[in-house]
Amino acid sequence: MDDKEIIQMFRERDESALAAMSKKYGSYCFFIARNILGNQEDAEECINDAYLNLWNSIPPAEPEVLSVYLGKIVRNLSFNLYKKKTAKKRGCGQIPAVLDELSELISDASTTESKWNEKLLIESINEFLAMLPEKKRTIFVLRYWYSCSIKEIAKKIGMADNTVAVQLKRLRVKLHNYLKERDFEL
Amino acid sequence: MKEENLFEAINSIDEKYISEAIKPNKRKANIKWIKWVAAAACLCVSVGSVILFADKKMQVTSNDIAYLTEDMPQAEGCYAPILDRFDAEIPTIDNDMAIYNGHFVLSDSLSAAIDKYENTVTYKVVVEVFKDGSVIGTDSPGVASEEKRLANEKYTVYHEKYKVGENESAYFTLCANKEQLLKFSINEEYGYYICFYGEYSSLDRQTDQPDTQLILPDNSDASSMLSVK
């Protein structure tokens, strides 16, 4: 079933839209949620919440790319649940490692709690991604959007684990410098 | 925590990059194995026995999984072109092609080859193992246990490792007849995508290597898929 039909079913409040959604994007959502949360039960909880969220948002929302629209909801909900859970205990997904890596982008010396202008930050990250060759961009997005493990990325793009890790390291340094040049307080 | 803010900001990157990262054919496979396997087949033909490989760094483990390495001897001019073009794409998680646990899918090219050659040949295939809809690494314990299990179920199983430059690739491959493929022995914990080697890389097809696939006579020595009569 194509996405337009599914969206139409949502508009018509046809509950079978949820089953169609689950059939088509269930494993995609599971992939995102599992990478963040590291366990099936929590991942399923987030996915169910995401479907409900989607049900409530369409209409009026009109997603351009349904998979990514849903994926973003899943990523957000999973990360929120991750934060809730880690208030008690560290999770076993990829997030601790991903966050550790992202923290490298931020200088230890920085004590400023200044709020970044999120809109500008997103624009700058997009500009940075646009400059990268596709393969490097894919590595970046798989790691920091999909929270894939290094091994999984290596397998997907046919590189050695170590090469992926090195590429990521370089990308982080590059992004750090790129953001610094644009006066972000890191 | 600032890294959390950064993680949250990344959520809103351009959607085209989010889609791009998971589109099919991201992986570049290493076509060189064909040369090695074909070369190995050549040598096997000339000597007529797999014993040759024992001297050339192929280790055969107690459960009959052969470990091939790049040190395999090479020879030229022994390709076995069977299919003109491989159009199949590796299943990816951006559509509903991810293989669910307890299922297996044969690639279109493999299905076409089975229709055409039926039981007259043994099929040398690459097995991609999926867990919860994602491919798991060939060097993972999950794949190792599946290799052992299938070897015990009379499949001729290989674990192949090649290194080209700094890239190392490992492949779980096996030789099977028509029946063994159509009624593939599954473990409910995993999903399987079974294809010919080289099917999942459009990039490699642009090289000057011919598109080749080794399909060997079924009546060859059962202990070795590499011996051709």
Side-chain angles (χ1 to χ4, degrees), chain B residues 134-177:
Chain B
S134 299
V135 178
I136 60 170
T138 310
D139 284 329
S140 66
V143 168
S145 73
E146 281 303 281
E147 287 174 344
K148 280 182 193 158
R149 184 181 66 79
L150 290 163
N152 287 334
E153 296 201 16
K154 308 288 178 219
Y155 287 83
T156 309
V157 175
Y158 297 86
H159 186 92
E160 302 176 10
K161 268 195 168 179
Y162 303 108
K163 195 169 181 184
V164 176
E166 58 180 9
N167 294 336
E168 197 175 89
S169 320
Y171 301 93
F172 166 17
T173 64
L174 53 83
C175 281
N177 61 28

Side-chain angles (χ1 to χ4, degrees), chain B:
Chain B
M1 288 170 77
K2 286 190 202 165
E3 56 270 25
E4 292 186 0
N5 298 342
L6 196 54
F7 184 84
E8 282 164 336
I10 289 171
N11 199 46
S12 304
I13 58 168
D14 197 322
E15 294 190 354
K16 68 180 181 222
Y17 301 142
I18 302 170
S19 303
E20 173 191 78
I22 50 159
K23 76 180 188 198
N25 279 338
K26 276 286 150 199
R27 199 173 55 175
K28 189 177 191 305
N30 168 13
I31 203 167
K32 291 250 166 95
W33 81 282
I34 291 173
K35 229 179 174 179
W36 288 320
V37 173
C42 281
L43 281 165
C44 241
V45 172
S46 60
V47 179
S49 166
V50 74
I51 292 166
L52 179 70
F53 292 104
D55 294 326
K56 300 288 182 185
K57 300 199 179 180
M58 184 173 89
Q59 307 147 23
V60 180
T61 63
S62 55
N63 52 26
D64 292 331
I65 300 170
Y67 287 79
L68 307 183
T69 73
E70 64 183 306
D71 299 323
M72 297 286 284
Q74 291 195 38
E76 296 296 333
C78 186
Y79 295 103
I82 298 290
L83 299 167
D84 293 327
R85 282 277 148 194
F86 300 121
D87 295 321
E89 289 175 337
I90 190 80
T92 57
I93 43 77
D94 68 337
N95 52 39
D96 46 4
M97 277 185 72
I99 316 292
Y100 294 94
N101 299 347
H103 291 79
F104 74 94
V105 170
L106 303 180
S107 74
D108 292 345
S109 302
L110 179 56
S111 300
I114 292 172
D115 282 346
K116 188 169 177 186
Y117 298 99
E118 301 218 307
N119 267 327
T120 60
V121 296
T122 296
Y123 301 88
K124 168 85 194 277
V125 294
V126 177
V127 182
E128 293 278 321
V129 183
F130 285 70
K131 177 83 180 161
D132 302 326
S134 299
V135 178
I136 60 170
T138 310
D139 284 329
S140 66
V143 168
S145 73
E146 281 303 281
E147 287 174 344
K148 280 182 193 158
R149 184 181 66 79
L150 290 163
N152 287 334
E153 296 201 16
K154 308 288 178 219
Y155 287 83
T156 309
V157 175
Y158 297 86
H159 186 92
E160 302 176 10
K161 268 195 168 179
Y162 303 108
K163 195 169 181 184
V164 176
E166 58 180 9
N167 294 336
E168 197 175 89
S169 320
Y171 301 93
F172 166 17
T173 64
L174 53 83
C175 281
N177 61 28
K178 179 188 167 189
E179 289 300 303
Q180 286 175 311
L181 290 174
L182 295 183
K183 293 182 181 166
F184 190 71
S185 165
I186 54 165
N187 171 346
E188 292 292 332
E189 286 177 35
Y190 297 106
Y192 308 83
Y193 181 70
I194 305 167
C195 58
F196 286 130
Y197 199 100
E199 275 193 86
Y200 38 79
S201 171
S202 57
L203 293 167
D204 281 328
R205 286 178 228 145
Q206 292 159 12
T207 68
D208 54 7
Q209 290 276 3
D211 280 331
T212 60
Q213 199 54 60
L214 209 59
I215 298 185
L216 300 151
D218 203 14
N219 57 353
S220 60
D221 178 351
S223 68
S224 167
M225 62 82 194
L226 295 174
S227 61
V228 184
K229 287 185 181 173

Side-chain angles (χ1 to χ4, degrees), chain A residues 61-115:
Chain A
E62 299 215 353
E64 271 182 46
V65 185
L66 187 57
S67 59
V68 174
Y69 186 86
L70 176 64
K72 279 184 176 182
I73 298 174
V74 172
R75 188 179 183 269
N76 258 334
L77 291 175
S78 301
F79 190 55
N80 287 341
L81 184 62
Y82 166 83
K83 283 193 286 189
K84 218 163 102 186
K85 291 241 160 187
T86 45
K88 297 174 192 159
K89 193 181 156 197
R90 261 173 111 78
C92 52
Q94 284 294 314
I95 291 296
V98 168
L99 290 181
D100 265 358
E101 289 170 22
L102 288 177
S103 73
E104 284 175 26
L105 283 161
I106 300 150
S107 143
D108 287 340
S110 166
T111 52
T112 49
E113 280 299 317
S114 61
K115 291 261 180 238

Side-chain angles (χ1 to χ4, degrees), chain A residues 11-60:
Chain A
R11 284 200 201 106
E12 290 164 1
R13 305 278 86 191
D14 178 350
E15 286 180 17
S16 53
L18 293 170
M21 198 72 203
S22 168
K23 188 170 177 237
K24 188 162 185 187
Y25 294 118
S27 23
Y28 176 65
C29 293
F30 187 76
F31 168 73
I32 296 169
R34 184 216 52 195
N35 282 345
I36 294 175
L37 293 159
N39 82 71
Q40 183 161 354
E41 207 177 307
D42 290 345
E44 280 168 4
E45 185 187 326
C46 282
I47 293 165
N48 286 333
D49 288 351
Y51 291 154
L52 183 67
N53 202 311
L54 194 72
W55 178 258
N56 291 332
S57 65
I58 308 175

